[in-house]
Amino acid sequence: MKVVAVDGPGGAGKSSVSRALAARLGWSHLDTGAFYRAATLAVLRAGIDPDDASAVAALVAGLKFRQERASMFLDGEDVSEEIRTREVTAAVSIVSAHREVRRTLVRHQRQWVAAHPGPVVVEGRDIGSVVFPDADLKIWLMASSAERARRRAAETGEPVSAVAADLARRDEADSNRDASPQKPAADAIWVDTTNLAIDSVVERILAMIEPSGEVLPHPG
Ligand code: DC
């Protein structure tokens, strides 16, 4: 099994970069954030308080998750669009902070990779540190706060100031939670995407992977 882990905060370019990287390599791509978002959607639909750790964990344990290409399914329903709404985005940091929820979703993510025999690009927050600590290559993408907010606002059409406040709140929650907080693995390679186009970031990562899929030894 060959795994390239692409981690980093929201708006750092993880999604665009990891999808483009997987397409260039002809590898599978797994978006782990979509699992946390789908779980959050289920919590909101069930009218459960996202802070209620045991009720949330019990619900999430009984859900069926499926990811196929760019689509996310929850109990067989395609929820790819609904998991990107403001309501889900606002609550996902609370749901993803619960230890039991993470345990369940990490298991699903590992199963997904085990079920895909070829190499895979996995994007998330804790892929290199927790989900696949033995990943062949670990990339930590980052960008300035201003640039991350600008990108997210362009995606969602919301005002930059509102997006910046939401990103700051999620950074704070995701970095300070007890259960696998958002932080780079010690052996991750940092790529600052602030002034780089997606293609340039992809080229840099491709340069660390041989055409055969072997990961080249990284200088330093
Ligand atoms: O990448 P994203 O915005 O779709 O992620 C949604 C939320 O899920 C984000 O606030 C952090 C959480 N998340 C996580 O805790 N661990 C992951 N591996 C992926 C996402």
Side-chain angles (χ1 to χ4, degrees), residues 110-151:
R110 289 182 178 146
Q111 280 170 356
W112 189 99
V113 170
H116 286 71
V120 51
V121 178
V122 186
E123 72 168 276
R125 302 291 202 287
D126 59 344
I127 307 308
S129 54
V130 174
V131 186
F132 292 108
D134 296 329
D136 301 85
L137 178 63
K138 301 177 185 177
I139 303 292
W140 180 261
L141 293 185
M142 35 90 75
S144 71
S145 305
E147 177 60 17
R148 291 166 50 211
R150 195 194 63 72
R151 290 176 187 166

Side-chain angles (χ1 to χ4, degrees), residues 82-102:
E82 223 181 319
I83 60 172
R84 307 283 159 197
T85 57
R86 244 183 117 63
E87 292 71 26
V88 170
T89 301
V92 67
S93 289
I94 304 171
V95 170
S96 63
H98 298 310
R99 203 173 287 277
E100 273 304 316
V101 169
R102 302 200 68 81

Side-chain angles (χ1 to χ4, degrees), residues 11-61:
K14 287 188 307 290
S15 189
S16 317
V17 167
S18 55
R19 280 180 204 288
L21 181 65
R24 283 283 297 272
L25 290 161
W27 293 9
S28 304
H29 167 259
L30 179 65
D31 169 11
T32 60
F35 286 72
Y36 291 96
R37 288 175 174 274
T40 302
L41 175 63
V43 167
L44 296 178
R45 282 178 172 178
I48 291 172
D49 176 359
D51 279 310
D52 184 343
S54 52
V56 168
L59 175 80
V60 173

